[in-house]
Structures are given as C-alpha cells and as structure tokens.
C-alpha cells in the first residue's frame, strides 16, 4: 500500500487506502486529487466532519480544503450539517449510491457532454455553407454530432427510469444484447 504520512493514524487502514485510491481515481477522471480525497473521507465517515478536522486528517492546507468543499457542494455531493453545541460548519457526504452516481453523471453531462454538443453544432453549421471544407470532414463532424446527441438522449432516458428498472438493466448486462439480437433474428425470419 502506497501511503503518505499525512493521513492520520487514527483513520483505519482500509479507509486510508480508500481515500488514497479515490484520490488517484479522481485524478484519472479529471477531478482534483484533494477534492476526491475529501469526498472519500466524508463518504467513509460515520460522523460529519468540520473543515479543520478534514485538513488535519488529510494533511491538506485549510484553504485547499475550503475550495474543495465548495466544489463538492456545487456537484451536490456533500452538504453542510449543523452539530448541536458547535458553531463550526460540518460536512456530510451523500451516501446513497444511486443518488451519488446520478449527481456525478448529471454534472459530467452538464460540464462535458452539453458543451461538446453545442460546439459540434456550431462547427456543423459553419461547415454547411463553407465550400472550402471537404465533404468528408463535414460528414465526420455530422456523425460525431449525431453520436454525441444520441448519448445525451440516452442519458436523459436512463436517468428518468426508476431505480429498480436501472438495477434490472445492470443485472441483465450482456443479456440485453443477446435479447436484442434474438429479437432481430426473429423479425428477419418473419420477413
């Protein structure tokens, strides 16, 4: 286990490892390591934590913790909670996995997919009247826009489904493809 001495010894080894790994994964997903580590610490904490406690536990500067907490709040992944008898602000992570994944997916769609769609639409429109753009390039841009729009519509349809339906789809996994293939064969057989 690769571990920095910054994470307090009072934190169980499994939680320390989770915090470190979630931080590494966050970086791969384009999220600041501190933001990911703070999220992991709050997610794995039974009790809400104050910013000072988070900074001390992770060995992160208080200003970095404050900025990271604000970012996590904009993603709606954590929330401030009052603690009786303490004037500090404490934070608690969303722990319902379905809600958590839905919020992350919605945030990624808003920050990545929607701007990509808008940019591609603009490029396709610019190409439409520009004879200097090769038709092959125009086709590629239209195909990419179509693909991104399909993914966006698929996301909107999936997120609107009840949790039980999504859980069933996940459990079916590759069975869905086999079912669709079987259905396609039947309709071809009828032709």
């Amino acid at each position: 286990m690769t571990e920095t001495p910054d994470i307090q010894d009072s934190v169980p080894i499994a939680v320390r490892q989770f915090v470190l790994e979630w931080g590494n994964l966050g970086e791969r997903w384009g999220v600041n390591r501190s933001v990911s580590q703070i999220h992991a610490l709050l997610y794995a904490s039974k009790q809400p934590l104050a910013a000072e406690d988070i900074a001390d536990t992770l060995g992160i500067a208080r200003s970095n913790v404050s900025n990271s907490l604000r970012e996590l709040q904009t993603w709606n992944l954590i929330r401030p909670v009052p603690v009786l008898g303490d004037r500090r602000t404490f934070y608690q992570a969303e722990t319902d996995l379905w809600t958590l994944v839905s919020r992350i997916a919605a945030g990624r769609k808003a920050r990545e997919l929607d701007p990509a769609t808008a940019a591609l639409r603009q490029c396709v429109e610019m190409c439409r009247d520009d004879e200097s753009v090769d038709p092959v390039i125009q086709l590629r841009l239209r195909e990419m826009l179509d693909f991104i729009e399909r993914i966006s519509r698929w996301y909107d349809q999936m997120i609107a489904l009840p949790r039980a339906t999504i859980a069933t789809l996940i459990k079916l996994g590759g069975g869905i493809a086999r079912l669709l293939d079987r259905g396609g064969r039947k309709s071809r057989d009828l032709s």
Side-chain angles (χ1 to χ4, degrees):
M1 167 170 64
T2 304
E3 185 175 322
T4 64
D6 297 336
I7 298 179
Q8 276 188 357
D9 291 333
S10 63
V11 177
I13 291 173
V15 172
R16 285 188 265 168
Q17 186 65 27
F18 173 66
V19 168
L20 291 171
E21 293 299 335
W22 199 246
N24 289 337
L25 287 170
E27 275 192 329
R28 290 185 196 129
W29 296 330
V31 177
N32 178 288
R33 179 188 297 262
S34 297
V35 171
S36 298
Q37 288 182 342
I38 291 168
H39 179 254
L41 181 65
L42 289 169
Y43 183 82
S45 176
K46 285 178 65 176
Q47 304 298 324
L49 299 173
E52 298 84 10
D53 300 329
I54 295 168
D56 291 344
T57 300
L58 298 177
I60 298 174
R62 177 69 171 83
S63 59
N64 191 357
V65 170
S66 293
N67 291 334
S68 297
L69 290 170
R70 272 195 297 281
E71 184 171 342
L72 287 165
Q73 284 180 288
T74 63
W75 281 78
N76 203 17
L77 300 179
I78 66 167
R79 62 188 164 281
V81 294
V83 171
L84 192 61
D86 199 322
R87 294 174 14 160
R88 298 178 297 168
T89 302
F90 286 77
Y91 298 90
Q92 189 170 46
E94 175 60 59
T95 57
D96 180 86
L97 283 175
W98 289 104
T99 301
L100 183 66
V101 169
S102 294
R103 288 177 183 169
I104 290 171
R108 300 234 35 161
K109 180 181 180 290
R111 288 174 174 84
E112 298 167 20
L113 208 52
D114 293 346
T117 303
L120 282 165
R121 269 195 202 113
Q122 183 180 14
C123 292
V124 167
E125 284 302 314
M126 291 171 68
C127 287
R128 186 166 286 145
D129 299 325
D130 188 346
E131 293 179 15
S132 68
V133 179
D134 189 286
V136 171
I137 303 303
Q138 291 182 25
L139 177 62
R140 288 179 186 168
L141 291 175
R142 284 193 310 271
E143 287 175 342
M144 185 179 286
L145 174 60
D146 181 58
F147 177 77
I148 297 292
E149 287 175 335
R150 284 176 193 260
I151 293 292
S152 185
R153 283 190 303 271
W154 175 82
Y155 167 81
D156 291 337
Q157 292 166 356
M158 290 299 109
I159 206 67
L161 293 173
R163 284 184 186 186
T165 304
I166 295 172
T168 301
L169 288 171
I170 291 170
K171 286 178 186 173
L172 286 171
I176 294 171
R178 288 189 299 276
L179 178 67
L180 292 174
D181 185 48
R182 196 174 328 139
R185 252 188 270 126
K186 285 181 183 176
S187 63
R188 284 191 301 265
D189 292 343
L190 296 175
S191 304

